[in-house]
Amino acid sequence: LLPQAAHWVLPHSPNLARFYCSSQRGVARRLVLRMSPSVKRVLCRRCCSLLLPGLGGSLRLRGG
């Protein structure tokens, strides 16, 4: 629920979106819950911001 709220709020207030993401991580840590991989993929491990191309992160492809 909090990551969905962060996605909705991100264009208007990036700081509030970051707060929602850090709250999500804190709650999961306190309650010893595992976050789903789809949620983990869109959160930065360092700053708890959303990693969306163009809004909060960049997309880099690895060539093989």
Side-chain angles (χ1 to χ4, degrees):
L1 188 64
L2 282 174
Q4 290 174 352
H7 281 282
W8 187 75
V9 170
L10 182 65
H12 307 291
S13 176
N15 290 331
L16 185 59
R18 186 175 292 138
F19 173 74
Y20 286 161
C21 292
S22 65
S23 297
Q24 165 73 23
R25 181 171 285 167
V27 168
R29 198 176 285 157
R30 269 194 305 267
L31 297 177
V32 192
L33 298 174
R34 290 187 179 187
M35 288 194 292
S36 69
S38 62
V39 172
K40 280 191 203 179
R41 282 186 202 109
V42 295
L43 293 180
C44 177
R45 290 183 182 183
R46 280 169 142 189
C47 63
C48 293
S49 63
L50 286 175
L51 298 175
L52 295 175
L55 291 176
S58 61
L59 181 67
R60 193 180 316 170
L61 299 175
R62 294 183 186 177

